[in-house]
């Protein structure tokens, strides 16, 4: 063996070891969710379920609150993603396509907005929504999630539109499109790759978000993360049910992301590396 | 199609000349700007206004002007001082662990090249898990008595009894334990971005240095690190901001306890507002947190990032 190959083998082994330690927590969560409910807290704990059981899943799904919280999460995440795109795509295009003072100012504003601690915006947003009588409605959470999604969406779309050929727009204009018509009919379809990346990130942020949902909802618009956290009280925790619900909550998103992983990596690196 | 107020007036004119560039950009920016104005800037205005008021959540209509009193109370409150310290400690530990692990794995991936494709895919998956679920999961793994982490250490003969380490109930240790979910969830983010940055470094540069007889360490110190500087800066700033404003992980793991030892600023502000209903005081803390984080991250942004300056 050449020295380089030996080194590569050692590196590969190191990474595999690291990865298995890395994957272990999720594997353990999955294993716990498949144990009979009482086995979740046996001493000593077991790595694999001694008897497979779907009891935890059935308990969780039998609770009408679970499905309600999942549908709330889905509605809120989809609407917030859509709203973020409708607002950020034209803005980002305007900023990158034309170099204007308001455009550059807006980009700096979006950068600052990205650095705001969520609790600082959460405190006044709670009062604002309360005055509008929107507490515990989908709309309140959708608006709150869009507020935190918008800066990131604008930055992602800007780095996507950078180096976007202007010839496409010019060709559409020659064919008689208005500028805005060209944006909607020609540029948006061509930019659909970047828009998809932005949409994935906006959806993930909203789907996983906790603090704003906690502040803004009580019963009707309660999202899935809040429902999961409610299993977790100081005194008693139904670990089996909580594991099952966590799996139901994260597995679909993970599977989806697995198939979209090229796009996710490009989105992650787009913002940071291409600047 | 989206209908806009401004467009109906310009339609009768020749569309190709309609608006000046400046006005067209303004029109494109307007919806996003209005949204940010209403749902971010206006609430932040309320936040700053409330921070100068004596105001209770139970009766928000009766507020009296407090001047700087809320702020003065903050500076004399030991609870706030400790939570600032906790936030800095949490951020520093998380950032250091993520950066070291992320950079090491990025270098290994880069060394392996295409052979690491599958590994990188697997590595990416905790990124999709909600921080909340990550926090719950780690609480389950670290909990006294039946937590798997202590049992694994016990089986490996690293500790004498499975109850040796009180990960979450010891006030000295808990602040480090609560960094684990974040490190688990986002090391891959750090790694992926640094890996992409490493891929963007031209191979010729490294080869030229090798021909000149540079050792791998010299190549790393004098070529890779300086070229990676903007990427490293972006990673540290983004992760630093996220770690500083963490709420959900600590909320589900310890709720700020034991004995306030994991009480970071986000939790402190939340409790002040929701449990004590003290809107004036929590707004003042939130305002200072906002200003502090903005100043810190913008300073870092403009001092280390330095795009294009190699």
């Amino acid at each position: 063996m050449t020295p380089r190959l030996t080194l590569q083998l050692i590196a590969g082994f190191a990474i595999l070891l690291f990865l298995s330690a890395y994957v272990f927590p999720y594997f353990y969560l999955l294993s716990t969710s498949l144990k009979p409910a009482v086995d979740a807290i046996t001493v000593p704990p077991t790595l694999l379920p001694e008897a497979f059981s779907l009891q935890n899943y059935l308990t969780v799904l039998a609770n009408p609150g679970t499905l309600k919280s999942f549908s709330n999460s889905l509605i809120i995440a989809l609407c917030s993603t859509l709203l973020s795109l409708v607002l950020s795509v034209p803005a980002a295009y305007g900023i990158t396509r034309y170099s204007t003072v308001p455009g550059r100012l807006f980009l700096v504003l979006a950068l600052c907005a990205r650095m705001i601690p969520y609790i600082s915006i959460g405190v006044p947003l709670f009062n604002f929504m309360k005055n509008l009588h929107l507490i515990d409605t989908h709309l309140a959470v959708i608006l709150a999630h869009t507020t935190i999604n918008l800066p990131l969406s604008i930055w992602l779309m800007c780095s996507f539109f950078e180096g976007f050929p202007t010839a496409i727009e010019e060709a559409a204009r020659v064919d008689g499109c208005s500028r805005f018509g060209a944006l909607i009919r020609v540029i948006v379809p061509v930019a659909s790759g970047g828009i998809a990346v932005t949409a994935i990130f906006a959806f993930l942020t909203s789907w996983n978000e906790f603090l704003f949902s906690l502040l803004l909802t009580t019963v009707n618009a309660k999202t899935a993360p809040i429902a999961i956290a409610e299993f977790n009280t100081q005194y008693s925790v139904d670990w089996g049910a909580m594991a099952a619900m966590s799996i139901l909550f994260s597995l679909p998103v993970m599977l989806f992301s697995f198939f979209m992983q090229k796009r996710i990596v490009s989105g992650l690196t787009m913002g940071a590396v291409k600047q | 199609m989206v209908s806009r107020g401004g467009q109906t007036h310009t339609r009768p004119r020749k569309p190709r000349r309609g608006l000046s560039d400046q006005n067209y950009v303004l029109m494109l920016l307007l919806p996003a700007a209005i949204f940010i104005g209403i749902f971010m800037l206006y609430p932040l205005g309320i936040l700053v206004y409330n921070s100068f008021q004596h105001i209770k959540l139970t009766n928000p209509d009766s507020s009296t002007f407090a001047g700087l009193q809320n702020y003065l109370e903050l500076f004399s409150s030991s609870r706030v001082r400790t939570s600032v310290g906790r936030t800095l400690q949490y951020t520093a530990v998380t950032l250091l662990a993520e950066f070291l692990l992320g950079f090491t794995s990025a270098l290994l991936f880069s060394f392996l090249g295409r052979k690491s494709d599958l590994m990188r895919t697997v590595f990416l998956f905790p990124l999709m898990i909600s921080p909340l679920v990550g926090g719950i999961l780690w609480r389950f793994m670290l909990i006294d008595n039946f937590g798997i982490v202590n049992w694994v250490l016990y089986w490996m003969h690293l500790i004498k009894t499975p109850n040796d380490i009180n990960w979450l109930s010891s006030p000295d240790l808990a602040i480090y334990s609560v960094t684990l979910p974040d490190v688990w969830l986002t090391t891959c983010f750090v790694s992926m971005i640094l890996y992409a940055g490493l891929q963007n470094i031209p191979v010729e540069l490294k080869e030229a240095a090798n021909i000149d007889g540079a050792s791998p360490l010299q190549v790393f110190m004098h070529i890779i690190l300086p070229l990676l500087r903007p990427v490293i800066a972006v990673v540290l700033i983004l992760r630093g901001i996220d770690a500083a404003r963490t709420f959900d992980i600590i909320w589900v793991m310890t709720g700020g306890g034991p004995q306030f030892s994991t009480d970071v600023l986000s939790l402190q502000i939340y409790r002040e507002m929701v449990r004590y209903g003290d809107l004036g005081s929590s707004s003042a803390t939130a305002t200072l947190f906002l200003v502090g984080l903005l100043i810190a991250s913008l300073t870092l942004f403009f001092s280390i990032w330095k795009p294009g300056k190699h």
Side-chain angles (χ1 to χ4, degrees):
Chain A
M1 282 201 290
T2 62
R4 191 178 166 81
L5 191 65
T6 318
L7 268 177
Q8 282 189 343
L9 277 176
I10 294 172
F13 185 70
I15 292 180
L16 275 183
L17 203 72
F18 186 44
L19 277 186
S20 36
Y22 201 67
V23 174
F24 177 77
Y26 198 75
F27 160 79
Y28 188 58
L29 184 70
L30 191 66
S31 153
T32 304
S33 75
L34 292 168
K35 289 173 184 175
V38 285
D39 285 2
I41 51 168
T42 47
V43 179
T46 55
L47 293 182
L48 285 170
E50 276 161 11
F52 279 91
S53 159
L54 290 176
Q55 194 192 336
N56 293 320
Y57 289 91
L58 296 176
T59 313
V60 163
L61 289 174
N63 179 352
T66 307
L67 292 177
K68 174 81 176 137
S69 72
F70 272 87
S71 78
N72 284 343
S73 274
L74 193 65
I75 293 170
I76 288 168
L78 286 176
C79 292
S80 164
T81 304
L82 195 68
L83 188 56
S84 306
L85 290 179
V86 168
L87 294 171
S88 68
V89 172
Y93 187 70
I95 292 169
T96 36
R97 171 73 174 78
Y98 306 92
S99 175
T100 60
V101 178
R104 279 192 296 264
L105 277 177
F106 198 74
L107 200 58
V108 175
L109 181 71
L111 176 72
C112 291
R114 183 87 177 77
M115 297 171 177
I116 289 175
Y118 293 141
I119 187 76
S120 291
I121 186 89
V123 172
L125 215 49
F126 171 78
N127 287 300
F128 186 39
M129 295 295 178
K130 205 169 151 191
N131 291 339
L132 295 174
H133 301 285
L134 285 177
I135 294 287
D136 206 22
T137 61
H138 291 119
L139 185 61
V141 192
I142 292 167
L143 293 171
H145 285 180
T146 307
T147 310
I148 53 172
N149 265 330
L150 205 50
L152 179 67
S153 302
I154 288 172
W155 271 87
L156 277 173
M157 284 316 300
C158 276
S159 45
F160 186 78
F161 279 134
E162 231 165 72
F164 200 75
T166 54
I168 301 172
E169 186 188 336
E170 276 152 17
R173 301 283 307 285
V174 169
D175 290 345
C177 261
S178 69
R179 264 203 286 218
F180 191 67
L183 175 65
I184 297 291
R185 274 178 235 147
V186 183
I187 293 157
V188 165
V190 175
S192 57
I195 294 176
V197 170
T198 310
I200 292 172
F201 277 91
F203 185 89
L204 271 176
T205 309
S206 174
W207 182 255
N208 289 338
E209 203 282 327
F210 181 71
L211 177 61
F212 289 88
S213 313
L214 181 70
L215 283 168
L216 298 174
T217 68
T218 46
V219 185
N220 287 323
K222 196 199 290 170
T223 60
I226 307 299
I228 297 177
E230 278 175 359
F231 283 107
N232 185 43
T233 63
Q234 291 289 54
Y235 310 104
S236 75
V237 183
D238 186 350
W239 288 108
M242 197 151 82
M245 181 126 177
S246 300
I247 293 287
L248 287 176
F249 178 69
S250 56
L251 201 60
V253 188
M254 275 170 52
L255 287 178
F256 172 75
S257 312
F258 186 79
F259 293 107
M260 303 297 273
Q261 55 121 346
K262 282 236 159 62
R263 295 214 150 155
I264 289 179
V265 174
S266 77
L268 283 179
T269 47
M270 200 154 66
V273 183
K274 258 171 72 175
Q275 278 170 20
Chain B
M1 233 40 55
V2 188
S3 73
R4 279 157 194 279
Q7 259 217 330
T8 43
H9 300 291
T10 53
R11 187 149 290 160
R13 281 194 245 154
K14 278 229 153 127
R16 293 182 60 181
R17 288 207 215 119
L19 291 159
S20 69
D21 283 359
Q22 180 96 4
N23 287 342
Y24 180 59
V25 173
L26 279 178
M27 194 192 89
L28 291 176
L29 285 177
L30 207 58
I34 291 174
F35 190 92
I36 289 188
I38 296 178
F39 293 103
M40 187 171 277
L41 298 183
Y42 173 65
L44 288 178
I46 309 179
L47 178 80
V48 176
Y49 174 78
N50 281 347
S51 74
F52 293 107
Q53 304 284 320
H54 284 301
I55 179 170
K56 294 283 177 195
L57 204 57
T58 43
N59 191 6
D61 299 324
S62 73
S63 61
T64 53
F65 184 67
L68 286 171
Q69 207 187 333
N70 287 327
Y71 287 96
L72 293 175
E73 276 166 16
L74 284 189
F75 286 112
S76 58
S77 153
S78 64
R79 185 68 51 77
V80 172
R81 263 200 310 261
T82 18
S83 61
V84 171
R86 292 303 178 203
T87 310
L88 290 174
Q89 201 180 355
Y90 177 85
T91 309
V93 175
T94 313
L95 211 52
L96 189 71
E98 285 175 10
F99 186 70
L100 290 180
L101 286 171
F103 208 175
T104 315
S105 51
L107 287 171
L108 285 172
F109 286 142
S110 169
F111 175 68
L112 285 172
R114 292 203 58 86
K115 285 177 203 144
S116 68
D117 278 2
L118 181 70
M119 296 176 188
R120 272 183 285 125
T121 308
V122 177
F123 197 40
L124 206 65
F125 92 120
L127 201 62
M128 314 311 153
I129 298 175
S130 137
L132 178 90
V133 171
I136 288 173
L137 170 55
W138 278 88
R139 182 173 166 215
F140 181 56
M141 300 206 325
L142 294 174
I143 208 158
D144 297 343
N145 199 20
F146 60 87
I148 188 91
V149 172
N150 269 352
W151 279 92
V152 168
L153 293 175
Y154 172 70
W155 289 327
M156 291 165 83
H157 298 287
L158 292 172
I159 54 178
K160 284 196 191 78
T161 71
N163 293 318
D164 262 12
I165 308 177
N166 301 315
W167 294 100
L168 296 172
S169 53
S170 144
D172 296 326
L173 196 59
I175 187 71
Y176 300 103
S177 309
V178 290
T179 64
L180 287 170
D182 199 273
V183 174
W184 179 63
L185 288 166
T186 38
T187 295
C188 53
F189 169 80
V190 176
S191 178
M192 280 309 119
I193 292 189
L194 292 175
Y195 174 76
L198 286 170
Q199 299 307 99
N200 284 358
I201 295 176
V203 188
E204 302 85 55
L205 274 177
K206 286 180 248 175
E207 279 168 358
N210 282 333
I211 293 169
D212 290 345
S215 71
L217 187 69
Q218 280 174 319
V219 174
F220 181 75
M221 294 302 289
H222 297 292
I223 292 176
I224 295 180
L225 269 188
L227 285 177
L228 221 52
R229 180 187 169 116
V231 181
I232 291 175
V234 168
V235 163
L236 289 180
I237 292 164
L238 288 182
R239 285 303 315 138
I241 294 167
D242 283 344
R245 62 188 178 189
T246 298
F247 178 83
D248 21 16
I249 290 178
I250 303 181
W251 172 260
V252 293
M253 281 187 88
T254 63
Q259 294 161 35
F260 297 104
S261 64
T262 55
D263 198 42
V264 292
L265 266 171
S266 293
L267 264 81
Q268 154 79 18
I269 295 167
Y270 178 85
R271 200 182 39 246
E272 235 170 87
M273 177 172 95
V274 175
R275 195 164 304 164
Y276 305 141
D278 195 338
L279 202 54
S281 165
S282 67
S283 299
T285 321
T287 306
L288 277 189
F289 190 19
L290 172 79
V291 172
L293 197 57
L294 266 181
I295 291 177
S297 36
L298 285 174
T299 312
L300 279 172
F301 191 79
F302 288 110
S303 62
I304 2 177
W305 187 44
K306 287 181 188 161
K309 195 179 169 189
H310 297 140

